[in-house]
Amino acid sequence: MHAGFSERDRQHMGRALALAERGATTTHPNPRVGCVIVRDEETVGEGWHEWAGEPHAEIAALRAAGAAARGATAYVTLEPCSHHGRTPPCVNALIEAGVARVVFAIEDPNPRVRGAGAEALRHAGIGVASGLMAQEAADLNAGFFTRMKHGRPWVRLKLAMSLDGRTALANGASRWISSEAAREDVQHWRARSSAVLTGIGTVLADDPRLSVRLPSVRARPPLRVILDTALRTPPTARLLDENGPVWIFTASENAGRRQALEARGARVERLEGAGRPSLPQVLTRLAAAEINELMVEAGATLAGELIRTQLVDELLLYVAPILLGPQGRALVTLPELTELAQSPRFEIIETRPIGVDVRLRLRPVPGDR
């Protein structure tokens, strides 16, 4: 138990985090935030941020609580905002409602406002405590925190392989290694991503849609991003038929190909520099466009390059219970390693059966980046 917090405090914050999770597919580019208002050990109001531009979690919870908010404790998963964005500051609403205490999980990572919300509450005579379930709150908004602190999105690399680490037969046949349940699970991860990125090799080989096909899930269509050095994306590519924006990064100056793709609704951006667009430069551009979580669904070359350059924050790995043999295609392309110490290392943070497959979530070993 965190010093200074009771078990009831933890229960209420856990509830606020569960509420925040309800906005996982809809709050982009804002963080996912939940709020619970408690008075005399009774929950009198709950709320969560649902869509960017709509009321924040605190406002929704205060509306539900009404007059009962006076003298109550508000549990919030992120430091209440103190600035005018698309909506008024939440600290003002908390002060006006007369809450006696605010407990928030973690400080706002935005350097322009960090700490200002807590200071405004204290100045108004409201008790403030923070740090309760901070790691859980940070994990819920890994993309928002990474964008604010490091100027790039959280990069989640999705891969699927056989038991012997192969993605396809030597002749390229790979449909479908993973089960239908695993493919549906991928849809949920796409739905919570701000953008999905792939390489031109995958576009030409598989003609993917990279869309979210979950009628029961409310979600904004993710931005689809293609790394296409020579601008070989066909104007007939299926992902150009889908709802939602497409952004193509290229090194090509071919005006005809560019115009053909722009006529299909794609945004084409040429990045300066020799050769293919640099991955750090692409990530910086995506962060500037307020992309929080980036899901990468690509081939072995791009996947290997992201791992080699230490730009992967999380691996989403589906393992199918089949064997493809040593001639099959490798999971990722990496430079030849001569010592085990050179191997990129990951730790497993979650293991879950998905249909007949197993899904692993892994993150780089701390200090190994």
Side-chain angles (χ1 to χ4, degrees):
M1 177 59 57
H2 192 288
F5 294 113
S6 68
E7 182 58 33
R8 294 302 297 272
D9 285 332
R10 188 174 185 85
Q11 290 171 2
H12 295 314
M13 186 62 77
R15 173 60 178 169
L17 286 164
L19 290 168
E21 178 67 31
R22 295 184 182 182
T25 63
T26 58
T27 64
H28 162 80
N30 292 347
R32 301 146 182 159
V33 182
C35 178
V36 173
I37 298 177
V38 178
R39 181 176 174 180
D40 298 329
E41 294 304 322
E42 178 185 353
T43 298
V44 295
E46 293 185 339
W48 68 94
H49 184 42
E50 295 190 53
W51 291 87
E54 293 188 1
H56 288 187
E58 297 96 317
I59 305 302
L62 287 170
R63 287 176 180 172
R70 186 161 299 278
T73 296
Y75 296 86
V76 194
T77 58
L78 185 68
E79 178 185 7
C81 64
S82 58
H83 64 292
H84 277 272
R86 301 183 192 182
T87 58
C90 290
V91 291
N92 292 3
L94 290 165
I95 292 168
E96 291 167 8
V99 300
R101 178 178 178 235
V102 173
V103 178
F104 63 86
I106 194 167
E107 195 173 62
D108 191 323
N110 188 335
R112 295 178 299 174
V113 299
R114 186 170 54 218
E119 180 58 31
L121 293 169
R122 291 190 184 98
H123 185 73
I126 295 173
V128 178
S130 64
L132 176 60
M133 303 181 76
Q135 187 58 56
E136 292 90 333
D139 287 344
L140 181 64
N141 286 302
F144 183 75
F145 274 72
T146 301
R147 176 163 68 87
M148 287 296 168
K149 290 183 174 182
H150 305 296
R152 65 171 182 83
W154 176 269
V155 177
R156 181 177 289 117
L157 175 60
K158 173 260 174 181
L159 298 167
M161 70 177 193
S162 62
L163 289 173
D164 49 353
R166 304 295 168 177
T167 63
L169 299 177
N171 63 12
S174 64
R175 290 184 179 242
W176 294 96
I177 286 182
S178 53
S179 65
E180 183 176 346
R183 296 195 295 276
E184 181 175 334
D185 189 65
V186 170
Q187 294 281 318
H188 287 276
W189 286 98
R190 282 184 192 168
R192 67 182 294 140
S193 301
S194 306
V196 180
L197 180 145
T198 194
I200 182 59
T202 298
V203 172
L204 295 176
D206 300 336
D207 196 16
R209 296 184 184 273
L210 299 182
S211 58
V212 176
R213 299 181 296 279
L214 295 169
S216 62
V217 175
R218 297 175 71 208
R220 299 180 186 275
L223 169 69
R224 272 83 47 75
V225 182
I226 307 172
L227 301 187
D228 183 1
T229 302
L231 214 52
R232 293 185 292 155
T233 300
T236 56
R238 292 198 303 171
L239 55 75
L240 295 171
D241 295 329
E242 296 291 321
N243 290 330
V246 175
W247 195 351
I248 302 173
F249 289 100
T250 187
S252 172
E253 298 184 36
N254 189 311
R257 292 182 182 176
R258 177 180 189 136
Q259 290 169 2
L261 290 166
E262 289 177 340
R264 294 282 282 116
R267 173 181 178 179
V268 180
E269 180 170 344
R270 181 177 178 271
L271 294 178
E272 299 296 331
R276 60 188 176 187
S278 83
L279 292 173
Q281 193 175 4
V282 168
L283 295 182
T284 297
R285 292 291 295 118
L286 292 176
E290 297 186 306
I291 298 302
N292 290 332
E293 292 185 16
L294 176 67
M295 184 161 169
V296 179
E297 300 187 46
T301 301
L302 179 53
E305 184 67 7
L306 284 164
I307 292 173
R308 186 189 68 79
T309 53
Q310 299 183 335
L311 292 173
V312 173
D313 298 295
E314 184 174 315
L315 290 180
L316 193 63
L317 177 61
Y318 296 86
V319 183
I322 60 173
L323 296 168
L324 296 183
Q327 295 79 25
R329 297 188 178 183
L331 184 67
V332 297
T333 301
L334 292 172
E336 183 177 358
L337 306 178
T338 57
E339 300 178 11
L340 283 177
Q342 299 171 330
S343 304
R345 296 182 182 274
F346 296 83
E347 57 183 2
I348 298 173
I349 62 169
E350 183 187 50
T351 304
R352 179 175 298 182
I354 304 290
V356 298
D357 302 321
V358 173
R359 186 191 74 201
L360 303 179
R361 290 174 61 206
L362 308 96
R363 292 181 182 172
V365 172
D368 199 48
R369 306 186 65 162

